[in-house]
Amino acid sequence: DTGVSQDPRHKITKRGQNVTFRCDPISEHNRLYWYRQTLGQGPEFLTYFQNEAQLEKSRLLSDRFSAERPKGSFSTLEIQRTEQGDSAMYLCASSLSETSGTQYFGPGTRLTVL
Amino acid sequence: AQRVTQPEKLLSVFKGAPVELKCNYSYSGSPELFWYVQYSRQRLQLLLRHISRESIKGFTADLNKGETSFHLKKPFAQEEDSAMYYCAPIPEGYQKVTFGTGTKLQVIP
């Protein structure tokens, strides 16, 4: 296990298209987080899972965003009907629940919406 | 409202000079505080957490509950310290990490 991985690393799409990103956490980590980061800002929390349960969603996450972690392992983040404002770096992180502040981040998926 | 502030977007220091990256927070209770770092073309990673009270890469951070600050310090900056630094509190009894806007540290040779 080489750490948290994300796929794809880059995605360019046209406005209105749907996109899906995948995150594979560190295998023994039961917590998985999604963040969005735009230029000049720190990561903004989007949602997190404890095993397969989605425990919190940010108000930033509109109805066009959905995340799943069906078997408590990998997770997907889908954005429907993308808008130019969705262009950002999408980060995934994982942790153990006992040490939830100690998060291990993936390399991110950079989304560009044209 | 819960808030974390990193007042400096950019901090430039000469190699060998002391460094202090400021972080102020506004949280009820006793949050747990972290510093994360992102080196150029690398992923975000944990630098240190206040509970551990340890020094990592020469950096230390003291939690000042009276001033609600958690400043990151290093006595002698090195060129390899150049990076983005994010202060990140977790509210007491809660799970979500909130990141500050970050400070870019630039160490001038």
Side-chain angles (χ1 to χ4, degrees):
Chain A
D1 193 329
T2 56
V4 179
S5 61
Q6 292 186 244
D7 185 70
R9 296 291 304 277
H10 304 273
K11 180 70 178 179
I12 299 174
T13 191
K14 292 182 179 179
R15 190 174 52 189
Q17 298 294 304
N18 298 343
V19 294
T20 300
F21 309 141
R22 176 181 170 123
C23 170
D24 286 89
I26 293 172
S27 56
E28 63 267 27
H29 285 182
N30 49 9
R31 289 247 167 110
L32 187 148
Y33 305 79
W34 284 100
Y35 296 88
R36 179 172 64 189
Q37 187 173 25
T38 53
L39 199 61
Q41 300 296 318
E44 293 176 293
F45 170 82
L46 294 178
T47 188
Y48 89 95
F49 293 83
Q50 169 92 9
N51 300 312
E52 66 275 11
Q54 188 174 18
L55 296 188
E56 184 173 347
K57 287 176 61 172
S58 166
R59 284 171 292 178
L60 294 173
L61 218 59
S62 75
D63 292 344
R64 297 185 297 106
F65 288 71
S66 62
E68 293 182 342
R69 193 183 184 198
K71 297 181 180 179
S73 56
F74 74 92
S75 175
T76 57
L77 178 69
E78 181 182 16
I79 309 174
Q80 296 182 326
R81 305 181 302 282
T82 52
E83 302 172 357
Q84 288 185 324
D86 297 331
S87 294
M89 178 74 86
Y90 289 84
L91 298 171
C92 175
S94 69
S95 75
L96 295 169
S97 55
E98 297 80 13
T99 55
S100 57
T102 303
Q103 299 187 7
Y104 294 82
F105 280 81
T109 294
R110 182 168 295 283
L111 173 66
T112 302
V113 182
L114 302 175
Chain B
Q2 296 174 337
R3 190 166 57 245
V4 55
T5 304
Q6 293 182 251
E8 302 133 332
K9 279 199 172 294
L10 173 65
L11 182 64
S12 296
V13 301
F14 285 101
K15 178 182 173 181
V19 174
E20 183 178 54
L21 299 164
K22 292 184 169 57
C23 172
N24 293 92
Y25 63 93
S26 173
Y27 279 73
S28 57
S30 300
E32 190 175 356
L33 288 120
F34 301 79
W35 277 97
Y36 277 79
V37 61
Q38 188 166 25
Y39 302 101
S40 178
R41 287 185 287 278
Q42 294 188 27
R43 60 185 70 187
L44 193 61
Q45 59 186 283
L46 177 68
L47 179 62
L48 57 80
R49 49 188 300 196
H50 89 271
I51 281 181
S52 61
R53 297 184 183 277
E54 55 192 344
S55 173
I56 305 293
K57 300 185 179 182
F59 284 97
T60 58
D62 290 324
L63 176 59
N64 186 322
K65 292 186 178 181
E67 296 180 359
T68 59
S69 67
F70 187 53
H71 303 328
L72 184 68
K73 300 177 183 179
K74 184 170 182 176
F76 308 104
Q78 303 298 315
E79 289 180 65
E80 56 266 29
D81 297 329
S82 295
M84 282 293 298
Y85 291 81
Y86 296 96
C87 180
I90 297 182
E92 186 178 18
Y94 198 45
Q95 312 299 341
K96 189 179 81 173
V97 178
T98 300
F99 289 86
T101 51
T103 297
K104 182 175 182 178
L105 175 63
Q106 184 179 59
V107 180
I108 304 164

